[in-house]
Amino acid sequence: MEKQILEARDMDRILTRMAYEILERYPDTDRLALVGIHTRGVFLAERLARYIYEIADLPVKQGTLDITLYRDDWTRISHHPILRSTNIPFDVDGMDVVLVDDVLYTGRTTRAGMDALIDFGRPRHVGLAVLVDRGHRELPIHADFVGRRVETEKHQTVNVRVVEEDGEDLVLVEVL
């Protein structure tokens, strides 16, 4: 059974707020870059960049990151992992990079994202923006920008759907 916790208008409102928060923390958009972690983080990063442009009339550099081979559990996931493209078309040295993901849970995806990002250079600062923070951290990682904090149990899952990938915008908690 699933319980819907966000619908399209909630996600739009939350991402707009997060765009304002990112601009407040990083007003120099020449040094700001949003890097989405595949898959849904990529679409959320694109939306945040669009909202920042609408708010401040300033473009933001964007990139995509595949963290599959940086995960500490990739051999448990599949013997044939699906690799997606990483595209960081700018020099990360000295940049303020905000990694964007859909859900923050144990922190392992974020750690993998930071490891992958560092292979491209040395950012001045790395931040993290997530649509949903569900707790249960296994690593000392926190998000700088959080859309919604949701209390979950470990056996539950949080499913983010985005129109670009899934045909609809909503967030569900799978209740077992």
Side-chain angles (χ1 to χ4, degrees):
M1 183 170 70
E2 294 177 319
K3 175 184 174 190
Q4 182 174 321
I5 59 170
L6 295 175
E7 57 186 37
R9 67 180 176 179
D10 300 321
M11 289 174 62
D12 186 58
R13 186 179 65 250
I14 285 168
L15 291 169
T16 299
R17 173 182 48 81
M18 291 173 70
Y20 276 103
E21 291 173 353
I22 290 168
L23 270 172
E24 286 177 14
R25 175 98 40 99
Y26 304 110
D28 182 0
T29 57
D30 288 337
R31 284 205 321 216
L32 175 61
L34 302 176
V35 175
I37 297 175
H38 275 290
T39 292
R40 286 159 188 81
V42 170
F43 301 117
L44 296 174
E46 289 171 356
R47 290 188 201 183
L48 286 168
R50 186 174 64 243
Y51 293 144
I52 289 170
Y53 183 79
E54 290 171 3
I55 293 165
D57 197 28
L58 298 168
V60 176
K61 293 170 188 66
Q62 296 178 60
T64 63
L65 199 57
D66 178 15
I67 54 104
T68 302
L69 297 178
Y70 290 86
R71 295 179 59 100
D72 60 7
D73 62 351
W74 74 269
T75 56
R76 288 186 228 169
I77 295 171
S78 172
H79 292 293
H80 306 287
I82 297 171
L83 301 177
R84 295 177 173 86
S85 65
T86 290
N87 180 25
I88 300 183
F90 51 87
D91 184 4
V92 301
D93 289 337
M95 295 291 290
D96 295 320
V97 178
V98 178
L99 290 175
V100 181
D101 204 4
D102 55 351
V103 178
L104 177 57
Y105 178 37
T106 63
R108 292 180 182 280
T109 297
T110 302
R111 186 215 39 90
M114 290 187 294
D115 288 349
L117 181 66
I118 297 305
D119 279 351
F120 288 88
R122 189 172 194 274
R124 183 176 84 137
H125 186 266
V126 177
L128 176 62
V130 297
L131 183 63
V132 177
D133 181 345
R134 62 167 292 194
H136 304 288
R137 227 59 93 238
E138 294 174 2
L139 299 173
I141 289 175
H142 76 280
D144 301 283
F145 310 99
V146 177
R148 173 78 52 93
R149 293 184 201 286
V150 178
E151 289 189 30
T152 63
E153 296 179 28
K154 282 192 169 198
H155 67 274
Q156 296 175 317
T157 58
V158 175
N159 299 312
V160 174
R161 296 185 186 161
V162 293
V163 70
E164 298 91 339
E165 178 78 8
D166 310 297
E168 61 185 345
D169 281 341
L170 56 96
V171 178
L172 304 163
V173 174
E174 185 176 334
V175 181
L176 304 175

